Amino acid sequence: MSEADYVAIGGFVALFVLLGLRVPIGIAMGLIGTCGFGLLTSPNAALSILAQAPIATLTNYSLTLIPFFIVMGVFATNSGMSKEIFAAGQAWFGSFRGGAALSTIGACAGFAAISGSSVATAATMSKVALPEMRRFDYPDRVSSGVVAAGGTLGILIPPSAVLAVYGFITEQDIGKLFIAGIVPGLLAVVMYMATVRIYYGRSLPKGDPFDLRRALASLRGIWAVFLLFLAVMGSIYLGIASPTDAAGIGAVLTAIIGLARRRLRLSTVFSSVVEALYTSAAIYSVLIGAMLFSYFLAITQTPQKITGILIGFDVGAYGTLALILCFFLLMGAIFDAMAMVILLVPIVFPVIVQLGFDPLWFGVIVVMTVELALITPPIGMNVFVLNSVNRDIGLPTIFKGVLPFVITDLLRLILMIVLPALVLFLPGTIK
C-alpha cells in the first residue's frame, strides 16, 4: 500500500474514534480532512483549504435554499399549520377504524411538504397527534410507531433538505430531484396507510362519526399548506423559479400568511428566524466539514479505490447496489440523515455512475434508505427523537410499533429499484 492508503485508513479510524467520543461530525470531518490533507501536501496547503472552505460553502448560492426551507418550516409550525393539517385529517379519516393513525400519517405528509425535515416532522407531530390517539385509547406501541414512521416522510416529500444536499454534492439538478421525490412520497403515504389498515385491522378504535360539513369546513384551515406547496413546487416544475428562489418565496409567503391570519406576531417572526438560524448553522457546520473532508478524499483517491474494490467483488450492478444500501443502513446506527448523505455519497457516487445507474434515481433511493435507517433498530434517529419528547414511552415500545413500517419501507424500496420509472417519470417531463 502507498503512503496515501495508510493515511486514508488512519483518517477514517480517527474519524470514527472522534465520533465515538461525541465530537460533532462537522468538526470531526473538518479536523481529519485538514490534518490528512496537510500530511500528504504541506501545512500551508492545509491552512489554505481551511480558509477557503467555509467561505465557499457559506457563499454557495444553491445551498441558500436550506435556511429558507428551515425558516419556512419554523414559520409553519409556529403559526399552527401542523394542528390544522391534523384536524383536516381527522375530519376526513377519523371515522374509520384506525382513523387517528391514518390522520397522523396524512398530517405528517402535509407537514413534510412545508418543512423538509424528518426530525422536525416527527417532533412536531408527536405533540399534535399522540394526545389525540391516546384520547381514543390507542396503545402506545401503535401511536408512537405511526408518528416515528410518518416523520420519515419529512426528508422524502419535497422540499427536502437532504435531497438538496445530495444534489449539491453530486452536482445534480435540485429541482428535478424534488420532482423525482413526489411519486415515491405519495406512494409512501398510501403504503403507510395500508399498513395501518392491514396490520392492525379491526383492533384499532373508530373516531368521531363522519360529518361532511365538518370535513369540508376543515379544508379552509389547510388552504395555506396547499398554496405554499403549489407556490414552491409549481414554480420549480414550470421553470418559473430556481429551487433557491422558490425556497425564498415559500419562506416569505409563509410569514405573510401567518401574519395576515394573526397566527404570527413580529416578535414571533424574529424568534422563528433565530430558531432557524441555529438549525441552519448546525447544518452548515457539517457541510463545511464535509468540504474539508472531500479534499482529503480527493488527494487519497479513496472514492476511486472503493469503486475498484466494490466492482471487483463481481456481484453485478444490483448486487453492488445492495452492498451500498446495506452500508447506509449500518451507518444509520451512528449518523443522522444529513450526516450519512454528506459522508457516504461522495465515496459511493462514483461507483453508481460507473455501474450506469441514473443519478436522480439513486438520490431518491438513498433518501428512502436513509428513511429506513431512521426507524431501524438498534438506533433509529426518529425513535430517539420521539422518546426524548415523550419520556413515558420506552424505546422498546416504539421499536415494536415501527416494525410493520420497516417492512413496508423495505417493500417500497424494492419496488423503486425494480421500477425506476416511478421515480424518473415526472422529472422526465421537465424541459
Side-chain angles (χ1 to χ4, degrees):
M1 290 194 299
S2 65
E3 179 187 3
D5 292 332
Y6 285 112
V7 173
I9 293 171
F12 276 97
V13 171
L15 176 64
F16 284 106
V17 169
L18 289 176
L19 294 175
L21 295 173
R22 294 188 177 276
V23 175
I25 185 170
I27 295 174
M29 292 176 71
L31 181 63
I32 298 301
T34 304
C35 292
F37 189 85
L39 282 174
L40 294 173
T41 55
S42 68
N44 287 337
L47 291 174
S48 177
I49 66 166
L50 183 60
Q52 295 172 7
I55 297 173
T57 304
L58 292 170
T59 58
N60 187 287
Y61 178 74
S62 298
L63 287 177
T64 55
L65 62 82
I66 292 176
F68 280 136
F69 280 136
I70 292 172
V71 168
M72 181 177 166
V74 174
F75 281 158
T77 301
N78 292 341
S79 60
M81 289 186 186
S82 57
K83 295 179 181 178
E84 291 174 333
I85 297 170
F86 182 76
Q90 276 287 76
W92 286 95
F93 299 112
S95 60
F96 295 101
R97 287 198 178 276
L102 299 177
S103 303
T104 300
I105 293 169
C108 285
F111 188 75
I114 53 175
S115 73
S117 167
S118 174
V119 171
T121 302
T124 301
M125 296 315 301
S126 70
K127 298 174 184 176
V128 175
L130 277 181
E132 190 69 11
M133 284 190 276
R134 283 177 167 174
R135 183 169 76 88
F136 289 107
D137 295 325
Y138 276 62
D140 284 343
R141 170 176 59 88
V142 178
S143 58
S144 60
V146 169
V147 173
T152 63
L153 298 171
I155 59 170
L156 178 59
I157 294 178
S160 164
V162 175
L163 274 176
V165 170
Y166 172 88
F168 169 72
I169 293 172
T170 60
E171 299 182 348
Q172 298 301 306
D173 188 312
I174 295 175
K176 288 188 175 181
L177 279 167
F178 284 171
I179 301 299
I182 291 177
V183 172
L186 292 175
L187 186 61
V189 175
V190 172
M191 291 183 71
Y192 278 172
M193 288 185 172
T195 300
V196 170
R197 296 288 295 170
I198 294 171
Y199 187 82
Y200 295 108
R202 298 181 178 179
S203 64
L204 298 179
K206 290 184 179 181
D208 299 322
F210 181 75
D211 183 339
L212 181 60
R213 185 175 299 177
R214 173 171 164 257
L216 293 174
S218 71
L219 298 179
R220 291 200 299 268
I222 60 171
W223 64 268
V225 176
F226 284 114
L227 177 61
L228 290 170
F229 184 78
L230 289 175
V232 174
M233 297 309 301
S235 60
I236 293 174
Y237 182 79
L238 295 174
I240 299 173
S242 70
T244 303
D245 295 336
I249 292 169
V252 172
L253 192 57
T254 308
I256 292 173
I257 291 172
L259 290 169
R261 300 170 77 191
R262 299 182 180 179
R263 304 290 180 81
L264 290 177
R265 297 180 180 178
L266 289 178
S267 59
T268 312
V269 170
F270 178 77
S271 63
S272 297
V273 171
V274 171
E275 181 182 344
L277 281 173
Y278 280 118
T279 305
S280 300
I283 293 175
Y284 268 97
S285 70
V286 179
L287 289 171
I288 292 169
M291 179 168 280
L292 291 168
F293 196 71
S294 70
Y295 287 105
F296 174 63
L297 293 177
I299 200 168
T300 58
Q301 294 188 323
T302 300
Q304 295 89 331
K305 290 171 183 175
I306 289 179
T307 299
I309 292 171
L310 289 175
I311 292 177
F313 285 143
D314 197 23
V315 292
Y318 286 95
T320 305
L321 176 66
L323 290 175
I324 291 172
L325 297 184
C326 286
F327 191 60
F328 268 93
L329 286 176
L330 288 173
M331 291 298 99
I334 303 173
F335 303 114
D336 64 13
M338 188 70 74
M340 268 193 284
V341 170
I342 289 173
L343 178 61
L344 299 180
V345 166
I347 298 173
V348 303
F349 186 71
V351 183
I352 294 301
V353 172
Q354 187 162 334
L355 292 174
F357 290 116
D358 187 281
L360 291 178
W361 170 83
F362 181 66
V364 174
I365 294 299
V366 162
V367 170
M368 289 174 60
T369 307
V370 169
E371 269 188 318
L372 181 56
L374 289 173
I375 56 173
T376 301
I379 300 178
M381 185 62 66
N382 273 22
V383 173
F384 277 83
V385 167
L386 196 61
N387 174 253
S388 67
V389 176
N390 302 273
R391 288 293 186 182
D392 57 325
I393 305 178
L395 289 173
T397 300
I398 304 174
F399 276 123
K400 288 178 183 177
V402 299
L403 183 58
F405 299 100
V406 169
I407 297 170
T408 300
D409 278 348
L410 284 171
L411 293 175
R412 178 163 48 92
L413 182 60
I414 293 170
L415 182 63
M416 294 297 124
I417 293 173
V418 173
L419 297 174
L422 292 173
V423 176
L424 298 175
F425 169 71
L426 280 181
T429 62
I430 301 177
K431 296 181 181 180

